Amino acid sequence: MPSQDEIFTKVQEALVDALGVDEDEVTPEATLQGDLDAESIDFLDIVFRLEKSFDIKIERGELFPEDILNDTAYVQDGKVNADGIVQLKQRMPFADLSRFEANPQVQNLGKQLTVADMCAFVEYKLAT
Amino acid sequence: MRWFWVDRFTEFVGSSHAVGHKGIALSDSFMHDHWDCYPTMPHSLIAEGMAQTGGLLVSEMYDFKELVVLAKFSKLSFQGITRGGDSLTYRAEIENVRDVGASVTVKGHCGEELRSVGEIFFARLQAGDVGDADDGMPTRLFDPVDLAHWLHVVGIFDVGVKKDGTRMRAVDYGLPTKLAQ
């Protein structure tokens, strides 16, 4: 199991390559969409790079459970409801969803995903 | 001018790799102004050739029937200059595939000399991917007759084999088997 520093370095490398950003922009606090300008297609690129770097397999929806966000049982008027939050927490145990819970607009989830969340995701995948 | 940036394929193996060639001539119109005193092939057009080589390879995985569009170049670099009389060879290899798209690495060589390297992402668009624009989304990118013409003239049906090793035939993809007159 690599150390947290090793995970961060590899995640940083994947994000630099996938997003064309400078290394110093990829801080743990940086948000992927807000600070690093990641677009939806970039997530697939990032997933491919993480799989290669860490020799892991990431299934669709594991990193970003869009199926929950598209399910009307969990989303009403553009906001994730209480049941949806429970589902998200189960599916994203690696992410800190406290900010999202305060204003659970669907589009906020992607915007609030940080580099630290990505590192936690990798750590979670390597441990399971 | 037809937007063909690969003249001929000499290898095309479904879900694996493709090799395409592009000859550059001083008579090519894009050479006239780029530049008059020292004509070179614009890198943007080399990138287009790389994308066409990789794009057809990805599109074949979906039987040339789905909306496969270039999403981004993750990496793209060029070395040296390409002049009249040069012949570029593009080799595209499938790197990763998902239901939502695929990534391809394409290298361009002139003889032994590496001229370009690119990592290209192609998205496979499906209903729901573009929100409200779905109503206006075409069901396929090319008219089948135009697509068949393109694939025939660049020799894909002469050299292409499918993933299972059998020959690629136009009819297998629901395309006309002969060039339109």
Side-chain angles (χ1 to χ4, degrees), chain B residues 5-179:
Chain B
W5 294 101
V6 179
D7 295 333
R8 186 158 50 89
F9 282 84
T10 51
E11 285 184 59
F12 198 102
V13 180
S15 303
S16 173
H17 69 276
V19 178
H21 304 269
K22 172 68 185 166
I24 293 92
L26 275 180
S27 57
D28 289 331
S29 57
F30 58 82
M31 299 286 269
H32 300 168
D33 301 315
H34 192 273
W35 289 268
D36 185 38
C37 58
Y38 195 78
T40 65
M41 184 168 184
H43 286 167
S44 55
L45 296 180
I46 295 176
E48 181 64 34
M50 295 163 75
Q52 290 191 1
T53 307
L56 286 175
L57 188 60
V58 173
S59 194
E60 191 276 337
M61 291 194 300
Y62 310 115
D63 293 334
F64 296 116
K65 288 177 179 167
E66 300 197 25
L67 290 171
V68 173
V69 298
L70 195 160
K72 72 167 186 175
F73 280 87
S74 303
K75 283 186 180 174
L76 181 61
S77 62
F78 298 96
Q79 298 173 36
I81 51 173
T82 298
R83 303 176 61 193
D86 283 349
S87 179
L88 292 176
T89 298
Y90 302 124
R91 183 181 176 90
E93 295 187 0
I94 300 278
E95 292 290 338
N96 278 295
V97 182
R98 286 287 194 287
D99 57 345
V100 293
S103 66
V104 174
T105 298
V106 188
K107 290 182 179 173
H109 281 85
C110 181
E112 296 294 312
E113 189 183 331
L114 183 68
R115 290 282 170 85
S116 61
V117 182
E119 287 179 19
I120 314 175
F121 259 78
F122 293 92
R124 178 191 183 200
L125 296 184
Q126 294 165 297
D129 287 346
V130 287
D132 295 339
D134 275 8
D135 290 343
M137 215 165 113
T139 53
R140 52 198 304 171
L141 276 183
F142 299 101
D143 174 86
V145 173
D146 292 341
L147 175 63
H149 180 265
W150 184 17
L151 300 180
H152 277 295
V153 296
V154 295
I156 283 183
F157 292 122
D158 297 329
V159 299
V161 292
K162 295 186 206 169
K163 186 181 178 181
D164 62 9
T166 58
R167 284 290 298 271
M168 284 173 60
R169 300 180 309 158
V171 67
D172 296 335
Y173 301 94
L175 296 170
T177 53
K178 289 191 164 74
L179 287 176

